Amino acid sequence: MIRKSIKLFFDNTSFLDEKREETLIHFANQVTKVLGFVFFIIFVLSHFFDLTKLVTGSVVLASALALILQHIIRDYIMGLTYLFERQIQLGDYVIINGNRQGIIEEISMRHVKIRQYDGYLYTISYSSISELQNGNRGKRRVTESLVLSYRQNPNDAFKVLEEVAKTCNEKYEDYLLKG
């Protein structure tokens, strides 16, 4: 019901853009899945155990688990931070830690998945992200490399690149960084 109501809410409102809504729906689906599992386990255990003793013991257990699972907890908190600060969303072109770059395919509670142009899918936990560059924010400069056959005349390739660059500069002038 919670998932359906969230989906209905975003279908009937338009104060967020579509990519942002998709990201929030995906994130809410994962949160409700985890919370539903936890409540189900508590419900099942309540039929076999006295919950007052279980709650008292669970405080000690929760403290121990928090120490053991601190990296996972950090991933969850950082995931919420990235989501609510609107630093990334589905479909953004990102460079993470200077060595992984691609399009964001999935944002979960613990990690982000990016698809590089060579086809590889990388899963990166939020706690391992020390530097994040988002190519969909603001203006950016396009740098392109080209591999030629040794028989190809480089001047001909350069002329073609100049024509393509001129066309792109005219068409995407508002999105490109000049200079």
Side-chain angles (χ1 to χ4, degrees):
M1 272 180 27
I2 293 172
R3 289 181 185 178
K4 294 241 185 235
S5 62
I6 291 171
K7 178 91 168 105
L8 267 169
F9 173 76
F10 283 123
D11 286 344
N12 294 330
T13 59
S14 61
F15 62 90
L16 293 175
D17 60 288
E18 188 175 327
K19 286 169 60 174
R20 184 84 180 133
E21 287 178 359
E22 278 183 37
T23 303
L24 286 172
I25 288 171
H26 181 72
F27 200 80
N29 285 344
Q30 291 197 346
V31 168
T32 55
K33 190 185 303 181
V34 169
L35 288 177
F37 180 73
V38 168
F39 286 129
F40 176 75
I41 294 296
I42 290 172
F43 174 74
V44 169
L45 290 177
S46 69
H47 291 302
F48 300 107
F49 300 103
D50 182 21
L51 283 183
T52 56
K53 292 179 183 177
L54 184 67
V55 169
T56 307
S58 67
V59 170
V60 174
L61 181 65
S63 301
L65 283 176
L67 287 174
I68 294 169
L69 303 174
Q70 64 182 333
H71 291 293
I72 294 172
I73 294 168
R74 186 180 312 142
D75 285 339
Y76 284 124
I77 292 170
M78 291 181 75
L80 286 171
T81 303
Y82 279 117
L83 182 67
F84 288 116
E85 287 183 353
R86 297 182 179 187
Q87 292 183 16
I88 55 175
Q89 56 187 349
L90 291 175
D92 282 357
Y93 172 80
V94 294
I95 302 172
I96 296 177
N97 298 336
N99 61 354
R100 299 284 183 235
Q101 58 183 324
I103 306 252
I104 295 178
E105 279 197 1
E106 181 182 333
I107 298 175
S108 75
M109 291 173 57
R110 289 194 51 224
H111 59 268
V112 63
K113 290 185 180 182
I114 61 170
R115 173 86 55 191
Q116 289 196 167
Y117 289 119
D118 58 5
Y120 288 105
L121 181 67
Y122 287 99
T123 303
I124 303 167
S125 66
Y126 292 116
S127 63
S128 67
I129 297 175
S130 61
E131 178 184 342
L132 175 74
Q133 300 170 359
N134 192 336
N136 290 33
R137 304 281 188 239
K139 298 183 178 188
R140 67 183 211 205
R141 178 172 285 131
V142 176
T143 306
E144 195 61 46
S145 62
L146 183 65
V147 178
L148 298 175
S149 167
Y150 68 92
R151 293 182 182 151
Q152 175 111 24
N153 184 354
N155 290 331
D156 293 340
F158 188 73
K159 287 178 186 175
V160 171
L161 280 176
E162 284 285 328
E163 291 174 18
V164 170
K166 183 178 177 184
T167 304
C168 288
N169 284 336
E170 291 169 356
K171 187 174 181 181
Y172 300 108
E173 181 178 5
D174 296 336
Y175 303 104
L176 297 174
L177 184 62
K178 304 272 188 324

